[in-house]
Amino acid sequence: MADILEFIQGLNPVFQALAATCFTWAMVMLGAAAVFVAKDISRKVLDGMLGFAAGVMIAASYWSLLAPAIEMSLDLEVPDWFPVSAGFLAGGLFLLGIDKILPHLHLGMPVNKAEGIKTSWRRSTLLILAITLHHIPEGLAVGIAFGSVSSDFGSAGLSGAVALAIGVGIQNIPEGLAVSLSLRREGLSRFKSFAYGQFSGLVEPIAGVIGALIVSASQAVMPYALGFAAGAMLFVIVEEIIPESQRSNNADWATMCTMVGFVVMMILDVSLG
């Protein structure tokens, strides 16, 4: 593992971010490909997968983003808490703005419950946009994490970024599965369900490169950017993923899956970092 980290560290941070987010996108593809072998998914399984994804993202928000951001803030001329707090709240406000503008529909909801600007778009399109919204903060988080590796944190910062990419990739598998099977239920062919399902993850490499470019330009912006990514991720978790996992009678099951996801990501980050 040390040799792999040494090789990755020799790459430009933007290329690191691109490679990492292409990996997370590939995990979306892997999950979406399940539509070729699975006919449907039970609500209990879906709730468990959503809960697991939420747990991974919550743990990643702290160990991979907020903790290193706080450490970076110690060397700045502002109060230690300010960069992380400002970035965190800005990330939430950014996702709130997108949530209010981008038309999208949560899984399992009727089309008249679509959020964002009112539109006549098809239900399948709104479902795809909802999952795409999930992937924006994930791509930003991975890109910002790798862009921050160019700071003085060395291999520890790289290890944390790698752990974050692995964690996001793991939770992208059930997300890809959920959206492709949902599209299949809407009447799309298996191939179209797969194609549109994996397409929702394309935003991750785009957001990842943007995030890496921003933080690579200035070390001073890194703690703000890491806090921003954490705030954006937490907004999606609290506003969409956890409520979706708790809508049916499987609340306890989904909650336990959230805890398992949290532990998995915590183990990844602690063991690699």
Side-chain angles (χ1 to χ4, degrees):
M1 186 66 184
D3 292 337
I4 297 176
L5 290 177
E6 185 176 351
F7 171 75
I8 296 175
Q9 193 170 11
L11 300 175
N12 182 281
V14 176
F15 286 110
Q16 293 175 355
L18 178 61
T21 47
C22 282
F23 162 73
T24 60
W25 179 24
M27 294 300 98
V28 178
M29 293 185 193
L30 180 62
V35 74
F36 293 112
V37 295
K39 292 183 178 180
D40 204 351
I41 182 174
S42 71
R43 183 68 212 189
K44 184 174 183 179
V45 173
L46 176 60
D47 291 342
M49 292 191 305
L50 289 171
F52 179 85
V56 170
M57 292 174 70
I58 292 170
S61 295
Y62 176 72
W63 270 280
S64 297
L65 299 171
L66 292 177
I70 293 170
E71 189 174 354
M72 291 178 184
S73 299
L74 299 177
D75 297 327
L76 301 181
E77 296 180 355
V78 296
D80 299 343
W81 51 266
F82 180 78
V84 181
S85 301
F88 186 83
L89 293 175
L93 289 171
F94 173 73
L95 258 292
L96 175 63
I98 294 180
D99 188 69
K100 295 297 184 184
I101 296 173
L102 182 70
H104 62 283
L105 179 66
H106 296 187
L107 296 175
M109 298 297 290
V111 70
N112 63 350
K113 296 293 185 180
E115 299 181 7
I117 296 175
K118 298 300 180 183
T119 177
S120 59
W121 292 348
R122 296 175 57 184
R123 176 184 172 88
S124 58
T125 302
L126 296 172
L127 287 170
I128 294 169
L129 289 175
I131 301 299
T132 302
L133 180 63
H134 291 187
H135 291 306
I136 292 174
E138 295 169 7
L140 278 174
V142 174
I144 289 170
F146 276 95
S148 300
V149 171
S150 59
S151 67
D152 297 329
F153 286 89
S155 60
L158 179 60
S159 299
V162 170
L164 176 61
I166 294 173
V168 170
I170 290 173
Q171 64 93 32
N172 273 351
I173 296 175
E175 281 196 353
L177 169 63
V179 69
S180 64
L181 290 180
S182 295
L183 293 174
R184 178 63 176 161
R185 286 197 298 269
E186 294 298 318
L188 275 67
S189 68
R190 293 186 187 275
F191 178 78
K192 283 187 176 180
S193 298
F194 164 75
Y196 293 146
Q198 64 83 27
F199 183 75
S200 68
L202 176 60
V203 70
E204 290 204 6
I206 297 172
V209 169
I210 292 173
L213 286 172
I214 291 173
V215 297
S216 296
S218 170
Q219 288 196 10
V221 78
M222 289 181 184
Y224 294 92
L226 288 167
F228 181 94
M233 286 180 65
L234 199 64
F235 180 91
V236 171
I237 296 165
V238 176
E239 200 271 341
E240 296 191 20
I241 299 181
I242 289 180
E244 286 177 17
S245 72
Q246 300 282 324
R247 283 202 180 100
S248 64
N249 296 323
N250 305 311
D252 290 342
W253 162 250
T255 300
M256 289 306 302
C257 289
T258 300
M259 297 182 71
V260 170
F262 185 96
V263 170
V264 168
M265 184 63 214
M266 179 177 65
I267 292 172
L268 269 175
D269 205 292
V270 173
S271 60
L272 290 178

